Each structure stands twice: as structure tokens, then as C-alpha cells.
Amino acid sequence: MAALGSRRPAARSSATLARIAEILGRPAEAVRYAAIADQVLDAWRVEFLDESGQTAGDTQAGYVRALSFGLIPGELRQSAVRRLVELIRAAGNHLGTGFLATAQLLPVLADHGYADVAYDLLFQRTSPSWLAMLDRGATTIWEDWDGIDVNGNPHDSLNHYSKGAVVHFLHTHVLGLRQAEGSVGWESFVVAPAHHPEITWARGSYESPQGRVEVAWQIEGETFRLTVDVPPGSTAEVTFPNGEQATLPPGHFTTTRPSVGLAPARA
């Protein structure tokens, strides 16, 4: 399993170095690191991926990292994510990821058409889960799912980044605010909430290099109301519940659309 874990970051790190070299105008290094990334990717697929999209380890964490890092070919991605969902359902809608995969778990599910499964994990109230901590009196997110035992004794860190990384999902998918792919310094950002019937509003802001970005949305009966503040130098790419898309220039915008199509999409 050490090799299964180590080759994944090697492929991603090499690809990232290639992209950095390209941006810095160093084509020789870009070609070199891109070739290394391709070689590692090919080796990983030969060793750890079969023709059905199943990984050798067959764990939640393994599928999450492979999908997040783009290691699984496009034609096998839905097969792999379906297997990830099977493992989650078999665990009674509990996550089975640790330090290296928990941060990507919910985004991977939502981005592959399984936002409903992501929300099932987010709303789970028995351990291991985030709300189980809350029900046991947590005011921070613990390093260990059972960071305070039944006798009230604390274990490990009681305020930790690993499980706390779920907050990123609240920004990028519940609120729906994230930088657009390929954008630099938030010159373009996306507003595309992944909806759930029990969540009727969200609001948040981000201090971007271009200025303060603010987003708020609310569902009132059959109306979806969205407010977006786009700072100078930025544009917002908005996706509404009915699938309609719009590009907003700098300024303050409030608009409404029918609250249709709010069930999480399934690819």
C-alpha cells in the first residue's frame, strides 16, 4: 500500500511542476516534468487499476485520491465513483477516509454527480462523522472522530485541519463559491451551489486579490434569490438551479429564478 499512496502524489507533483515551469517560461523543465508525470501515471494505472475502474486497494480513500488527482481515465471515472459510493453505502453512509483523503471526499462526490451522497455524509450523526462531534459537545473539529471518549477524556488535538477541511466544501459547494479553473488571482470565479432540499439559504464572502467577493442565496417557496458582489477586475460565472448560466461583470447584482432542478444532479 505504500506504493499505492506514494505514486499518486508523485504524478500530481510532477504535473504541477510542469505547469509551473511553463508559466515561468522554462520549456525544457516543463517538458521534463510532464514526461515524468506521464510515466508515473502510466505505471500507476498498470499496477493499481483494472479495466473496470476498480483500484487494487479498493478503499474509499484510494478512489477519492485517484479521482481527485485525475489518475483514472475519463471512460472509467463514473465506474470508479460508483464503486466509491458502494463502499460508502456499505459502511452505513459513513466515511472511511483519513488525513490524506477526507478533504477531497465530498467535493469528489459532488463534482461527479453524487451531491446527495456527499450531503448524506455531511449530515451523518453517528460516528465517524462531523455532526457526531457536535452532538457530543464539540465547538471545534477534532483530530480523532472520538476525540473525547465516553468518560469525557480528551485524546489528540481537539482543533485539527484534517477533519476540519470539510469547511472548504461549505464554501465551494454549499455556498457554491470557488475560483474558476485556469483563473489567476480570482480574475474569474464560479457561483454554482450544490443544492440539498434541507438547505434553503447560504451566504459568505472571500477577500480576493481583486477585492471582496460576496455571495448569498435563498430559496423562498418556488423562487431562488441570488445576490453577488463582483469586485473590479473580476467576472462571475453563475449557474442557476434550472441550469441557466450567466456571466456577471463587476458590480452588485440581485436576481431571481424559479427554484426548479434543486435535487442534486446524478451523472
Side-chain angles (χ1 to χ4, degrees):
M1 289 300 293
L4 180 60
S6 64
R7 291 190 187 187
R8 271 187 283 246
R12 187 186 195 193
S13 298
S14 298
T16 301
L17 281 172
R19 177 61 179 148
I20 291 171
E22 181 182 356
I23 292 171
L24 295 177
R26 303 178 69 166
E29 285 89 344
V31 171
R32 175 190 173 199
Y33 287 113
I36 292 173
D38 289 342
Q39 291 168 4
V40 174
L41 178 58
D42 289 343
W44 184 86
R45 289 175 175 174
V46 169
E47 186 72 18
F48 299 113
L49 188 69
D50 69 18
E51 64 278 2
S52 71
Q54 183 165 316
T55 65
D58 197 34
T59 65
Q60 289 186 32
Y63 287 107
V64 169
R65 290 196 296 274
L67 288 162
S68 179
F69 291 174
L71 303 186
I72 298 179
E75 68 272 15
L76 297 179
R77 290 181 71 82
Q78 280 303 315
S79 176
V81 78
R82 283 194 296 269
R83 179 57 183 156
L84 170 61
V85 171
E86 288 175 359
L87 293 172
I88 293 169
R89 296 307 195 201
N93 289 335
H94 290 92
L95 49 77
T97 52
F99 275 32
L100 300 180
T102 297
Q104 289 86 28
L105 173 60
L106 302 190
V108 160
L109 289 166
D111 291 342
H112 286 84
Y114 287 87
D116 56 334
V117 182
Y119 279 115
D120 286 345
L121 292 174
L122 184 64
F123 293 156
Q124 176 62 258
R125 304 204 80 102
T126 57
S127 187
S129 70
W130 291 281
L131 294 186
M133 298 183 194
L134 183 68
D135 290 343
R136 293 170 64 182
T139 57
T140 55
I141 298 180
W142 305 332
E143 178 180 3
D144 189 282
W145 295 112
D146 298 311
I148 295 180
D149 64 26
V150 293
N151 298 316
N153 299 316
H155 302 276
D156 304 311
S157 168
L158 297 183
N159 187 8
H160 207 266
Y161 73 94
S162 175
K163 313 300 190 298
V166 71
V167 174
H168 185 66
F169 178 80
L170 304 184
H171 286 273
T172 59
H173 289 76
V174 179
L175 181 61
L177 174 63
R178 52 193 179 272
Q179 185 170 198
E181 186 174 355
S183 170
V184 176
W186 283 71
E187 293 176 343
S188 179
F189 61 89
V190 171
V191 180
H195 294 282
H196 187 279
E198 296 181 17
I199 301 178
T200 58
W201 66 272
R203 63 173 177 265
S205 62
Y206 178 71
E207 297 292 343
S208 82
Q210 311 299 325
R212 187 179 181 86
V213 176
E214 293 196 43
V215 174
W217 61 262
Q218 184 172 7
I219 298 170
E220 301 168 328
E222 298 181 354
T223 300
F224 173 81
R225 181 181 302 276
L226 175 70
T227 299
V228 182
D229 283 340
V230 184
S234 289
T235 59
E237 306 295 332
V238 178
T239 299
F240 294 97
N242 60 2
E244 178 186 347
Q245 296 182 320
T247 300
L248 303 180
H252 176 83
F253 302 90
T254 297
T255 186
T256 60
R257 294 292 190 281
S259 58
V260 297
L262 290 180
R266 174 64 48 81

